[in-house]
């Protein structure tokens, strides 16, 4: 749920940054019809200062490396027994910590 939402927002911020800086990943993106480009810019709010693309990629890589292990552990707990109140608190703490980590990394607070 919430971790998936974080990944979606991170990818949308990556697209926003690419539109602002015109640093497209593949050459065919430069041949986009101007109307479509404008539509994407308005929809994603692609105006103002861009976010460092390297940091956005770092958040995505870190999420893929760490959150997949969390999902596997959570699945094992759910399949083997009913999660207790302590399990639920640990899960929420992990989700909150992942949001704090991503936000602080994007702001450059965390190296």
């Amino acid at each position: 749920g919430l971790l998936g939402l974080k990944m979606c927002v991170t990818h949308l911020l990556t697209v926003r940054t690419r539109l602002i800086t015109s640093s497209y990943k593949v050459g065919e993106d430069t041949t986009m019809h101007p109307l479509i480009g404008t539509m994407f810019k308005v929809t994603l709010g692609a105006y103002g200062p861009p976010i460092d693309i390297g940091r956005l990629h770092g958040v995505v890589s870190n999420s893929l490396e760490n959150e997949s292990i969390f999902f596997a552990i959570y699945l094992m707990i759910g399949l083997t027994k009913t999660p207790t109140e302590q399990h639920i608190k640990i899960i929420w703490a992990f989700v909150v910590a992942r949001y704090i980590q991503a936000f602080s990394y994007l702001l450059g607070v965390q190296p």
Side-chain angles (χ1 to χ4, degrees):
L2 290 176
L3 293 176
L5 177 65
K6 180 176 70 84
M7 284 296 287
C8 289
V9 169
T10 305
H11 285 298
L12 290 173
L13 287 172
T14 302
V15 173
R16 176 190 175 271
T17 298
R18 289 193 184 283
L19 288 169
I20 291 171
T21 60
S22 298
S23 61
Y24 303 111
K25 197 163 188 168
V26 291
E28 67 186 27
D29 289 344
T30 60
T31 62
M32 182 178 0
H33 190 278
L35 184 61
I36 293 173
T38 302
M39 181 188 71
F40 275 120
K41 285 182 180 182
V42 169
T43 303
L44 295 173
Y47 302 98
I51 299 171
D52 181 11
I53 197 84
R55 291 223 171 243
L56 286 166
H57 286 294
V59 169
V60 171
S61 295
N62 189 281
S63 296
L64 292 174
E65 293 166 0
N66 293 296
E67 292 167 13
S68 57
I69 295 169
F70 166 76
F71 290 135
I73 292 170
Y74 179 69
L75 181 63
M76 286 189 293
I77 290 171
L79 291 176
T80 57
K81 59 183 171 182
T82 304
T84 64
E85 187 177 325
Q86 184 179 9
H87 290 129
I88 303 300
K89 287 179 182 178
I90 291 170
I91 290 166
W92 275 110
F94 181 81
V95 171
V96 169
R98 296 303 302 160
Y99 268 86
I100 292 170
Q101 184 275 334
F103 191 66
S104 64
Y105 185 75
L106 284 177
L107 291 177
V109 176
Q110 177 189 354

